[in-house]
Amino acid sequence: QVLLEESGGGMAQAGGSLRLACQASGRAFSNLRMGWFRQAPGQEREFVAEAYFSGFIEYKESLKGRFTVTRDNTKSTVWLQMDNLKPEDTAVYYCAARPTGFGAAWEFWGQGTQVTVYP
């Protein structure tokens, strides 16, 4: 079992920044690929980014340049830095983890943290 503890989030004005953190425990961090997802009201949950143990980061194309993910394997933590926020970034943001390996499902999820961006 993997426990994901999220922190950060809150409210920001459009153009501002917020940073989310997610710390994992319960399994070797090297065996996990870490992801960020978000779900806006009335919408499906969508992929934001994925961080591999190697440091490679995959982003949702439309968020490149504004969102940055970093991963610290020594701290079993990933961060999501969100800059130049827009009202449409308002959503509940979730940290997720899945085992390494082709086709693995996102098995573990954080509790979610609310991000609200106002004009």
Side-chain angles (χ1 to χ4, degrees):
Q1 187 69 11
V2 175
L3 177 64
L4 302 175
E5 295 189 69
E6 301 176 29
S7 59
M11 300 182 67
Q13 192 170 19
S17 298
L18 286 172
R19 191 187 196 207
L20 308 181
C22 175
Q23 185 171 38
S25 60
R27 185 177 294 190
F29 200 58
S30 59
N31 294 334
L32 297 173
R33 289 156 62 178
M34 302 298 296
W36 287 100
F37 291 76
R38 67 183 184 181
Q39 187 167 20
Q43 297 188 25
E44 297 283 325
R45 187 174 299 186
E46 67 172 358
F47 170 81
V48 172
E50 182 172 11
Y52 293 68
F53 182 78
S54 64
F56 175 75
I57 312 293
E58 183 179 1
Y59 293 96
K60 177 179 173 66
E61 189 67 28
S62 62
L63 298 178
K64 285 182 178 179
R66 293 196 302 118
F67 286 21
T68 304
V69 172
T70 55
R71 172 173 177 151
D72 187 333
N73 294 324
T74 65
K75 297 179 179 179
S76 299
T77 301
V78 291
W79 290 268
L80 175 63
Q81 175 69 37
M82 302 179 288
D83 298 316
N84 191 21
L85 284 162
K86 304 176 180 181
E88 52 263 40
D89 294 320
T90 295
V92 177
Y93 283 72
Y94 296 91
C95 175
R98 61 176 173 175
T100 57
F102 180 78
W106 293 102
E107 294 184 27
F108 309 104
W109 293 86
Q111 77 279 10
T113 186
Q114 178 69 47
V115 169
T116 302
V117 184
Y118 55 93

